[in-house]
Amino acid sequence: MRDLDREETYLVDRQGLALELRDLVGTGPVPQGTYPGPHGVLAYGEGRFAAELLGLPEWVEEGTLFLLEGGYDLGEAAAMGLVAESGRARVVRVGFRPGVDVHVPPSPLSPYRYLRFLLLATGQEEALKEVDEKLLQERRRLGPEIPLGENPAKFLAYTLLERLPLFYSPFFRPLEGAAQSLFARIGKSLSLTPPYSALEFFLTGLEARHEQGDPLAAVLLGGGEALALAKEILETRVDALAEVPPPEGSRLAQAMALWYRLAWTAYYLALLYGVDPSDQEVLERLREVS
């Protein structure tokens, strides 16, 4: 088994994703000022999680409508942009396509950069400050120089090795999809997210699969009564169970801190599998056609 505390394990990270993870806080475009409200957000691809975090409406008749063109929309973003520009609201295109107003290069870590831009553009500097503080706190204990015994991301990666993660986050369900995306894109691994009726799914579908010996690992994100019930059900239905509690703070800061820890976990999991955690060439071809 590969050792995450040995330097040679990191040789597969040929494009230096660890450096991007380490230096993520504070990166991304900065607006010249606050855009007039009310604010709305239409988001695709890499920008979708940022929009879900803020919970802004998808449409406004006046004010500013941010169009996050994060790719993989098969032309829908361009079409919606044309519709939006026919209204009275100012449309601000953010993404990596030619002709955008604000450029955000493609990256599995771009959700943070979209969120940072939106918080600054809508006058929520204090919320951004809290998010950045939580991410910096996480960074101090997640980097490659922190040994396994003190590094929760490394420990979780070993727990998930050769297992199929099942992510459940009742305090903020969109975090499940964001985690699934991180593990697919960085960890090069498959993971599951439950349907809306998650507890019912755990009681029925997982019972059948567990009897067949599936190596499932439940990753419970956050806290609360629903998570406690899920833990009680899942303990006898999965191969391993990991609880990832959030730090103190607002739901926005908590969700981003958990997202950041999972990004590091996906990175370490890729190293354990011996694959490059950076984007594959096939993603660039997909971006070109979508």
Side-chain angles (χ1 to χ4, degrees):
M1 181 183 296
R2 294 176 176 86
D3 187 346
L4 292 175
D5 288 341
R6 296 178 65 89
E7 290 186 9
E8 55 264 31
T9 302
Y10 294 82
L11 294 177
V12 295
D13 182 13
R14 298 180 181 87
Q15 299 183 48
L17 186 61
L19 298 177
E20 187 180 354
L21 271 165
R22 185 195 66 187
D23 300 332
L24 180 62
V25 173
T27 63
V30 177
Q32 295 182 351
T34 303
Y35 290 82
H39 303 110
V41 181
L42 267 173
Y44 300 87
E46 295 173 356
R48 184 168 181 80
F49 184 52
E52 291 171 329
L53 282 163
L54 293 187
L56 293 172
E58 292 188 339
W59 195 265
V60 288
E61 294 295 333
E62 54 187 19
T64 306
L65 177 65
F66 298 99
L67 181 58
L68 309 186
E69 299 186 31
Y72 319 112
D73 56 84
L74 298 176
E76 185 176 348
M80 291 303 296
L82 292 174
V83 173
E85 288 170 352
S86 66
R88 291 176 295 171
R90 177 183 179 181
V91 179
V92 179
R93 296 173 178 265
V94 187
F96 52 77
R97 298 188 184 283
V100 295
D101 302 299
V102 181
H103 185 252
V104 178
S107 166
L109 304 180
S110 283
Y112 166 82
R113 299 181 177 112
Y114 283 101
L115 176 67
R116 181 172 185 265
F117 177 82
L118 286 177
L119 290 174
L120 292 173
T122 57
Q124 300 183 66
E125 289 84 0
E126 287 301 313
L128 176 59
K129 181 180 178 182
E130 183 190 9
V131 167
D132 284 349
E133 288 174 350
K134 297 302 180 186
L135 265 59
L136 289 173
Q137 290 173 10
E138 287 287 303
R139 187 182 73 179
R140 295 186 189 105
R141 60 188 189 135
L142 299 179
E145 70 281 2
I146 307 301
L148 173 63
E150 304 169 19
N151 191 320
K154 286 183 178 180
F155 187 84
L156 182 56
Y158 275 112
T159 301
L160 301 182
L161 183 63
E162 303 297 344
R163 291 188 173 107
L164 184 65
L166 170 66
F167 295 108
Y168 181 48
S169 177
F171 96 103
F172 188 58
R173 295 299 300 270
L175 182 59
E176 300 164 6
Q180 191 175 47
S181 178
L182 286 171
F183 276 72
R185 192 162 170 186
I186 297 176
K188 309 299 187 292
S189 59
L190 180 67
S191 57
L192 299 175
T193 58
Y196 184 77
S197 53
L199 297 180
E200 177 185 273
F201 169 73
F202 297 152
L203 279 167
T204 54
L206 288 194
E207 178 70 20
R209 298 311 307 174
H210 182 61
E211 291 299 321
Q212 298 181 36
D214 285 353
L216 293 171
V219 182
L220 306 181
L221 305 167
E225 183 179 359
L227 204 73
L229 288 171
K231 179 182 178 182
E232 185 177 345
I233 296 170
L234 289 168
E235 282 179 327
T236 59
R237 288 169 172 81
V238 295
D239 189 47
L241 190 148
E243 295 181 80
V244 187
E248 296 293 328
S250 66
R251 188 180 71 167
L252 173 63
Q254 289 178 325
M256 280 305 294
L258 291 173
W259 173 86
Y260 188 58
R261 189 186 302 185
L262 292 172
W264 275 107
T265 302
Y267 172 79
Y268 291 129
L269 189 60
L271 301 187
L272 290 175
Y273 286 133
V275 297
D276 189 341
S278 300
D279 275 351
Q280 298 172 328
E281 184 182 346
V282 66
L283 279 179
E284 182 59 36
R285 296 200 297 270
L286 178 60
R287 282 192 286 264
E288 291 175 358
V289 302
S290 64

